[in-house]
Structures are given as C-alpha cells and as structure tokens.
C-alpha cells in the first residue's frame, strides 16, 4: 500500500514506517501553508505602508486598491475598535430599588430617564432599566433595548448608579411581592426627594414611579446633579446599533446633496387633537380631532376654542404658515428640507404648498429603501429616533412647535457648539401672518418683521429664565442645560445675553 503526501514526497511503503507518518505529513503541509500565508501578508503590508513615506507614482494606484480591499467597511471599523475601559463601579450601600415607567413620546421619555438616573444617584438607589410607554397615542410596543443601547447605558453610568435589567426574583409578583406605586410631585427639588421619597424605601424596599415626566426641577439643583443629567443625556443614552447605522446613512445622504434644514413639522394628528388646534382643517377633520381628544382620558382639557389657542401662540404652525415663514427667513427654492415628523395630518394635500415653494423636500421614506425601514415600521419611537439624529446633525433646525422633541434637540445642538436653531415666536408670527394675509402688511415688510423677531432666537447662548413658583413657564433644563455648556471663568461672559452674538 502506498501513501502519497500533498507536497510531492516520494511514495513509501507503509510497512517501513509507523502509522503516525500520515498525520505528521499533513501537519507539515499545513505548517508550511500557514508560514507562507504569514510571509505573504507581511510583504503585502510593507508594500502598502511604504508609499505612506515616499509615495512612488508606480505604486499609488495599486496600493489604493489594496487598501480598499483590506480596509473593513465603515460600520465594521466601528465594531472592531476596542471598547473604552469601564470606569470603576461606584461602591455604595443601596437604599432600595427604583422602578420607573416612563410616559409620553421618545423625547419626553428620554428626559425622564435622565431625571430618574439622577434621582437614583441622589438617593443611593439601584435603578431598574426603565419601562417605556406603550399606551400613548401611537401605542409603540418598543422596549428600552429596542431603542437604546442597554449595555452601554448600564456600563457607561456604573461609576454613578448601579443599574440592573430586572428586579431580583424575591421582589416579583410571582412571589407575592407588590411594589409601592406612586407618581412623584412634578418639578420637585433635591429636598423633596431626600425628605419625602427616601423614607419610602426603608419601608417598601421597592418604589415604582408610574409617571416620570418633569419630576425634577429645572433650577435649584446641585451642580453635580445637573451635570449628571447632561451626562446621561449626551453620553449614556445611545441608540441601538441598528438605529445609529441607519441614522448615519440618512445624514450622509443629505450631506452629499449639500446643506440642509431639518423642519420638525409637528402638524400630526395627536398634536392637533391634544392642543385642539384645527386652523385650516375641514369641519369633518375638526370633528375627528375632537373625538380623538375625548377618547384619551388623560388629555384632560376637552373643550378648546381653536382660534383663541392659535392667537396665544399655542398651536403648531400649519404647513401653509411654515411655507411663508421659511420664505420670509430667506430660504429659497434650492433649499434642501428634511421633514422630521410622522404622518402629516391631511397628508399630501396639506403639504402641497410647502412642496411647491421648496421642491427639494425629502423624508426618510423617500431617501431610504422601504426594506431598510421595514424593521422600524409600527414603532413610532424608533422612527422618531431617526428624525432625532438627522435634526441634531442638520445645518439648521426649525421646529414648528416647542414640544419635547424641539426642546431636547435644541439642547443637543447647544451642547454641540450652539448650532443654528431657529425657534419660532408663534404668538408674534400669527399676528404677522394674519396682517399679511388680509392685505394689511406687504410681503417685504412682513419678511423684515419676521427676521427681526427671530434675530435673538437662533440658538445663541443665554441664561435659562427662572420664574419662582411657576416652573411650567420657565425655560426647560433640557432645552438649555447651561451648567453643561462651558467650563471656567468665561462661562459668565458666554451666558450674558448682552455679550452673545
């Protein structure tokens, strides 16, 4: 019997060698192959590296092709980077477990999560990963880990708060345990949580906050806690890799086509029903919105006079009004406008004037393949996360209503260097719009008045307005987190409205 190796060794008689010859021969073959591969790749790396030093023309084209072949794709490059070392875990004795159920849309919940981490830090609690609202108008079934990078959230804050995915089994209903449920008092300060909430954990061990919106005051909070709110918001809350990748793709597509405006057109069914604003709607549409308002018991105000609300500046701008304002601000037909919103009420019929004035209107649905968006369909918060990323990255951000998204995006853009955000003065604009549309105010005068009204509403540095005993009317922390925007003695100069430009 003959045994033939793979490297052309002469055939041998099996009776002259022990039975180990065959495995040993194969081992040598693979050893030679591995060594050859290492040598080949070493040479290739040197060939690619040499032009970096002296760039011979002969090799430039070849090495660029080689580097393109050997370089991993952009998203893979991110994943191949070594993760930053984890901060040491903060060592403290936990006073109990804090469970929270966030209410509202994506950005309302985002701010609430930042507040709840801060409360847990203040009271030395263990925080359970927050539950997200599934009962709102959009009925989004997404859990925390479907929107945010849960592992990053837990790890990046470990030096401040111990965060766990779920309560220990002994505190589950299965074992007969009932957590103490309550909504904290809105706009509460450090003293309220230390004196009234902390003692509850001694008695109940687990406290469940079943409402979390605006439960921490804007002002009068210690500096270290204010900075923690920012840290959670700007660093701890990252979207999932799937959302981040698609959001970055959207931004890249837009940037390739030049500068762009992100218009947060909050002319959506839930906002119109909630606010009672029906300006420009048909009688049938107004009635439909009223029925929807009555269908949600937590929308407490039922009887609303739309025109009065509009004159007070409490209604979102209509698409027709937004068109005139954009033109008055100097944007022309060549302006690329990204519509950051859900389904516009009245659909294309209401968007027609805006589209006629600005043909380069785009949305995520028109920029991406339907297959790419399929995983996010029927998940309004995940779709809103894409709009959030684009809005933060835009050259100019313009919200038509000062809701939670407008405020949180504004704060992010301030944090990124006071990027241009035009914040409409809707009360003033309604007055000017009505004068122009009834023929009293010519176009040129209208345009000048609109621009003058917004000279100091472009996202410049300024101090938060504090109104004692009226927290709802003062400036929102997450729209202007001034404690986190600068360091050192120059902060006073930066935040002085008289010195900002």
């Amino acid at each position: 019997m003959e045994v033939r190796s793979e490297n052309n060794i002469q055939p041998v008689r099996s009776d002259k060698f022990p039975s180990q010859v065959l495995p040993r021969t194969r081992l040598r073959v693979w050893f030679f192959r591995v060594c050859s591969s290492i040598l080949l790749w070493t040479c290739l790396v040197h060939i690619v590296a040499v032009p970096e030093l002296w760039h011979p023309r002969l090799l430039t084209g070849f090495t660029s092709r080689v580097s393109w072949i050997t370089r991993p794709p952009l998203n893979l490059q991110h994943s191949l980077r070594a993760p930053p070392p984890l901060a040491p875990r903060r060592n403290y004795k936990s006073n109990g477990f804090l469970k929270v159920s966030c209410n509202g849309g994506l950005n309302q919940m985002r701010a609430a999560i930042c507040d709840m981490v801060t409360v847990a830090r203040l009271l030395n609690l263990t925080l359970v990963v927050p539950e997200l609202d599934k009962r709102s108008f959009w009925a989004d079934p997404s859990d925390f880990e479907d929107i945010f990078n849960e592992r990053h959230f837990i790890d990046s804050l470990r030096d401040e708060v111990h965060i766990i995915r779920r309560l220990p089994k002994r505190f589950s209903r299965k074992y007969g345990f009932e957590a103490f449920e309550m909504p904290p008092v809105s706009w509460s300060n450090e003293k309220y949580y230390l004196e009234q909430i902390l003692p509850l954990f001694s008695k109940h061990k687990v406290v469940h906050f079943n409402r979390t919106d605006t439960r921490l005051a804007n002002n009068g909070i210690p500096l270290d806690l204010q900075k923690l709110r920012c840290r959670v918001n700007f660093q701890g809350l990252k979207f999932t890799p799937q959302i981040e990748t698609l959001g970055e793709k959207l931004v890249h597509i837009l940037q390739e086509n030049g500068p762009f405006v992100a218009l947060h057109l909050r002319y959506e069914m839930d906002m119109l029903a909630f606010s009672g604003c029906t300006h420009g709607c048909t009688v049938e549409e107004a009635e439909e919105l009223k029925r929807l308002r009555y269908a949600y018991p937590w929308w407490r105000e039922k009887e609303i006079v739309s025109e009065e609300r509009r004159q007070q500046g409490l209604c979102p701008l209509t698409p027709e009004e937004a068109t005139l304002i954009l033109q008055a601000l100097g944007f022309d037909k060549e302006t690329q406008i990204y519509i950051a919103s859900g389904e516009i009420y009245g659909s294309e019929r209401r968007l027609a004037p805006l589209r006629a004035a600005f043909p380069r209107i785009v949305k995520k649905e028109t920029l991406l393949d339907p297959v790419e968006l399929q995983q996010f369909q029927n998940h309004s918060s995940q779709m809103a996360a894409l709009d959030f990323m684009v809005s933060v990255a835009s050259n100019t951000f313009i919200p038509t209503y000062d809701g939670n998204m407008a405020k949180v995006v504004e704060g992010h853009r301030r944090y990124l260097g006071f990027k241009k955000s035009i914040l409409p003065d809707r009360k003033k604009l309604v007055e000017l719009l009505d004068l122009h549309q009834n023929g009293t105010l010519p176009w040129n005068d209208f345009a000048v008045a609109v621009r003058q009204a917004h000279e100091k509403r472009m996202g410049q540095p300024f101090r938060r307005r504090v109104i004692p005993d009226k927290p709802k009317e003062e400036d929102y922390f997450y729209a202007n987190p001034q404690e986190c925007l600068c360091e050192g003695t120059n902060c006073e100069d930066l935040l002085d409205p008289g010195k900002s430009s």
Side-chain angles (χ1 to χ4, degrees), residues 70-81 245:
T70 57
R71 186 191 305 127
L74 185 61
N75 57 351
L76 188 57
Q77 288 182 48
H78 289 308
S79 63
L80 290 176
R81 289 175 186 166
T245 299

Side-chain angles (χ1 to χ4, degrees), residues 301-312:
E301 193 176 1
K302 302 301 181 184
E303 294 301 323
I304 299 173
V305 180
S306 174
E307 202 51 41
E308 286 184 8
R309 184 67 60 92
R310 179 173 173 269
Q311 294 298 326
Q312 294 167 352

Side-chain angles (χ1 to χ4, degrees), residues 140-163:
D140 186 344
S142 300
D143 290 317
F144 185 95
E145 64 270 20
D146 298 321
I147 300 174
F148 299 108
N149 187 327
E150 185 180 71
R151 184 73 264 161
H152 173 80
F153 175 69
I154 294 172
D155 288 345
S156 66
L157 298 168
R158 58 185 268 141
D159 58 331
E160 295 283 1
V161 179
H162 185 207
I163 304 173

Side-chain angles (χ1 to χ4, degrees), residues 66-122:
V66 170
S67 62
W68 180 84
I69 293 169
T70 57
R71 186 191 305 127
L74 185 61
N75 57 351
L76 188 57
Q77 288 182 48
H78 289 308
S79 63
L80 290 176
R81 289 175 186 166
L86 295 179
R89 189 186 296 277
R90 178 168 164 256
N91 186 21
Y92 66 98
K93 181 182 178 182
S94 176
N95 290 319
F97 297 89
L98 175 60
K99 184 179 177 183
V100 298
S101 294
C102 301
N103 56 292
L106 173 67
N107 293 285
Q108 182 171 310
M109 293 191 291
R110 184 187 188 103
I113 292 166
C114 300
D115 286 353
M116 293 301 104
V117 171
T118 305
V119 170
R121 173 64 175 83
L122 171 65

Side-chain angles (χ1 to χ4, degrees), residues 385-396:
L386 295 174
D387 285 338
F388 179 89
M389 289 186 65
V390 175
S391 297
V392 168
S394 64
N395 298 87
T396 306

